[in-house]
Amino acid sequence: MKKMLPLAVVAAALLVGLGAGRVYSAHKLAKSNDLVVTRGDYDLYLVRPDQVAFYSLQACGGCEKTRRLLRELGVDYVERPADTSMVHRQELHRLDAKRVPVIVTAGYKLEGYDRDRTIALLEEQGYLRSGSR
């Protein structure tokens, strides 16, 4: 019984540390504002080819701006909150994302927020409805 107590303390400390790491990671993701564009085949992350995936965090100004922009442009998207879903957090890890917001299209991964470049890439990929610009 005495040997189990130290093991329980170590296990509890490890769990607390892992939780703190997740919070730190989410905070670190939200800090970047520059747009980084990566070309690739991202079909696996899309529910439908005419819909984009949008990875976000709740306390992220760039995520809110991106959400508004996607709505304003009439882009069909599915939002994947990475701070409330372990599955979405793992997808961001597999995407090797370093910042949020992240928009995934069939041909690009956009990390960060830049209104004009985002619009240009969405238009180039055919995600904008006519008259939405």
Side-chain angles (χ1 to χ4, degrees), residues 3-32:
K3 288 184 179 182
M4 297 224 14
L5 183 60
L7 182 59
V9 170
V10 169
L14 182 60
L15 288 174
V16 169
L18 288 175
R22 285 192 190 122
V23 170
Y24 173 73
S25 294
H27 177 71
K28 189 175 171 186
L29 278 171
K31 285 291 187 183
S32 300

Side-chain angles (χ1 to χ4, degrees), residues 3-64:
K3 288 184 179 182
M4 297 224 14
L5 183 60
L7 182 59
V9 170
V10 169
L14 182 60
L15 288 174
V16 169
L18 288 175
R22 285 192 190 122
V23 170
Y24 173 73
S25 294
H27 177 71
K28 189 175 171 186
L29 278 171
K31 285 291 187 183
S32 300
N33 292 327
D34 298 334
L35 186 69
V36 175
V37 178
T38 307
R39 184 174 223 141
D41 182 11
Y42 297 107
D43 287 336
L44 287 173
Y45 298 93
L46 304 177
V47 176
R48 297 189 331 252
D50 62 333
Q51 186 179 57
V52 302
F54 165 47
Y55 293 87
S56 64
L57 296 174
Q58 288 179 353
C60 168
C63 297
E64 181 56 38

Side-chain angles (χ1 to χ4, degrees), residues 78-90:
V78 59
E79 187 166 354
R80 297 180 176 156
D83 49 357
T84 59
S85 169
M86 179 64 88
V87 171
H88 298 151
R89 196 173 310 127
Q90 289 170 344

Side-chain angles (χ1 to χ4, degrees), residues 57-78:
L57 296 174
Q58 288 179 353
C60 168
C63 297
E64 181 56 38
K65 289 177 187 176
T66 298
R67 189 178 299 109
R68 273 185 270 155
L69 179 63
L70 292 173
R71 286 182 188 146
E72 173 189 321
L73 296 172
V75 174
D76 189 7
Y77 70 94
V78 59

